Amino acid sequence: MLVLPKGVRHMPGYLSRAVQEALVEDVRRVVQEAPLFVPAMPRTGKEMSVRMTNCGSLGWVTDKERGYRYQPTHPVTGTPWPPIPDVLLQLWRDVSAYPHPPEACLVNFYSPDAKMGLHQDRDEIDFSAPVVSVSLGDDCLFRVGQSTREGGTKSFKLKSGDIVVLGGEGRFCFHGVDRIYPSTSALLKNGGRINLTLRRVTYPG
């Protein structure tokens, strides 16, 4: 049995197929308002392999000039991000154990060759809130470590409908996506994986 770091929860198959299909339609509407863009690493300007967008009052962006940050508008169109879909707000209430709503939902699209290096989510102000992650589409190999890079890591598959929560002692665990397993889900017509990441950014009040 895989033992995950304290504060890291994996809930396999949490979302039914019907809810997943409805979420995909919600994501399509978000992308119509806030088109996918390619984020770039600070300083080097190297493009990431994922394409992304956001919904919520704040969205996470990164570029060579200004680095990692949250802002209320799309970096290309300059328009405000669309609202977070109701089903995701309800999911947050159900699994986050945090009394205030999320402010940002990152939408990452992984093509078959995309990956995400080990990283921590540290660009927020309020670290008492967890990070809630939703997987849609093709399976991926998810890697999670400790709160330092020196700690060991463990890898496991995430399937469509799975939820991962990083909270408490697990809030600063390094995590990433090693690979995508193409054609393992028929949820997305053209394949690939969507990851939705709900975050609280600022202190309430």
Side-chain angles (χ1 to χ4, degrees):
M1 180 178 174
L2 182 67
V3 178
L4 297 175
K6 188 173 290 187
V8 178
R9 287 186 288 152
H10 174 215
M11 291 174 271
Y14 188 90
L15 299 180
S16 70
R17 176 70 181 211
V19 171
Q20 294 175 50
E21 290 172 352
L23 254 182
V24 169
E25 292 306 310
D26 285 336
V27 170
R28 286 199 176 105
R29 286 190 283 270
V30 166
V31 171
Q32 284 177 351
E33 289 189 53
L36 293 169
F37 61 94
V38 179
M41 297 291 289
R43 295 183 297 278
T44 65
K46 181 181 178 183
E47 292 186 344
M48 295 184 178
S49 60
V50 299
R51 291 182 293 154
M52 72 170 298
T53 188
N54 292 269
C55 51
S57 57
L58 293 170
W60 185 88
V61 301
T62 175
D63 53 35
K64 178 180 179 180
E65 293 75 23
R66 298 174 60 195
Y68 305 139
R69 64 192 185 278
Y70 285 93
Q71 63 184 46
T73 55
H74 192 288
V76 178
T77 68
T79 57
W81 306 106
I84 297 174
D86 289 341
V87 65
L88 292 175
L89 295 176
Q90 184 60 52
L91 173 68
W92 175 271
R93 289 190 289 267
D94 291 341
V95 305
S96 71
Y98 183 82
H100 304 283
E103 295 172 292
C105 177
L106 283 65
V107 180
N108 286 330
F109 177 75
Y110 290 76
S111 59
D113 59 349
K115 58 185 65 176
M116 181 75 69
L118 282 174
H119 64 282
Q120 293 173 302
D121 295 332
R122 300 192 68 108
D123 300 317
E124 301 74 35
I125 298 169
D126 186 357
F127 295 127
S128 64
V131 172
V132 176
S133 172
V134 181
S135 292
L136 297 171
D138 286 338
D139 299 355
C140 79
L141 186 63
F142 182 75
R143 182 181 295 271
V144 64
Q146 308 297 321
S147 57
T148 64
R149 286 194 179 275
E150 292 71 34
T153 63
K154 297 181 179 181
S155 298
F156 57 97
K157 275 189 180 182
L158 290 179
K159 297 178 177 293
S160 194
D162 286 8
I163 305 297
V164 173
V165 180
L166 278 66
E169 292 182 40
R171 177 62 177 76
F172 292 130
C173 283
F174 280 87
H175 56 283
V177 172
D178 287 346
R179 62 164 297 187
I180 303 298
Y181 296 95
S183 304
T184 47
S185 169
L187 183 68
L188 304 179
K189 184 174 66 174
N190 297 317
R193 174 179 184 260
I194 295 171
N195 178 243
L196 307 173
T197 306
L198 294 159
R199 302 177 185 175
R200 178 80 195 187
V201 181
T202 67
Y203 293 118

